[in-house]
Amino acid sequence: MKHLALAGLLALDSLPAHAETVDGDLIRVIDGDTVELAGERIRLVEPDAPEISKPRCNTELAKGLLASGRLRQLLKGPVRIERSGRTDRYRRTLASLVAPDGNVADILIREGLAIPYKPGFEAYQQRAEHWCPGQGRGPTSPTPGGERS
């Protein structure tokens, strides 16, 4: 009986905290891993896309523009927003987006336009080297603990 109850709790834990389907034309792309819907900023949970607002190098900017453009393409048609029930340090809703072609984070990662998100300063340095190869490991942490931006 205990195993059955535990399995039920685990199944509930895997469900999104709040999900809805919206017309993708209502979603404004901010960058390759952030969108806005009716004033709500939504940060994709899974990927880390190259920066376009404060890129570390011109290569990162160029790749960031490609990721943003591809995200815009993917969000055509109905889009399911699966909110995690959490926010990041910038108070953005953390969520997954599922478009007609599938989970947009998985697609961006598979196409090389994003990498899986990992927290921490070491991961920040690895991202800096990934998007700006050969240009050093990047500056000191941009935020305490190297949290996502």
Side-chain angles (χ1 to χ4, degrees):
M1 187 68 155
K2 287 181 185 179
H3 296 293
L4 192 56
L6 181 58
L9 288 175
L10 291 175
L12 285 176
D13 191 44
S14 66
L15 294 175
H18 173 67
E20 69 177 305
T21 300
V22 300
D23 181 342
D25 290 335
L26 299 176
I27 300 172
R28 183 172 72 95
V29 173
I30 305 298
D31 62 22
D33 53 30
T34 307
V35 299
E36 185 175 78
L37 174 66
E40 176 188 21
R41 289 271 171 127
I42 299 171
R43 172 64 163 81
L44 301 180
V45 174
E46 306 92 344
D48 189 40
E51 298 297 326
I52 58 174
S53 65
K54 293 181 183 177
R56 292 165 277 230
C57 65
N58 287 335
T59 302
E60 182 174 30
L61 175 60
K63 290 178 180 179
L65 292 171
L66 288 172
S68 299
R70 181 64 174 131
L71 180 56
R72 209 169 280 109
Q73 289 175 340
L74 291 168
L75 297 179
K76 298 295 180 196
V79 175
R80 183 169 174 80
I81 302 171
E82 299 176 349
R83 291 173 176 82
S84 69
R86 298 176 292 133
T87 58
D88 69 3
R89 63 188 224 90
Y90 299 106
R91 297 188 180 150
R92 297 176 294 189
T93 300
L94 296 173
S96 297
L97 301 180
V98 181
D101 291 339
N103 182 302
V104 298
D106 293 344
I107 295 167
L108 292 172
I109 291 168
R110 186 173 55 246
E111 293 179 359
L113 297 171
I115 56 177
Y117 175 77
K118 294 179 188 169
F121 180 63
E122 185 176 329
Y124 167 79
Q125 290 179 315
Q126 290 170 352
R127 288 191 301 274
E129 181 61 29
H130 180 84
W131 299 120
C132 300
Q135 297 187 27
R137 292 187 57 115
T140 59
S141 177
T143 60
E147 294 179 21
R148 67 172 76 200
S149 59

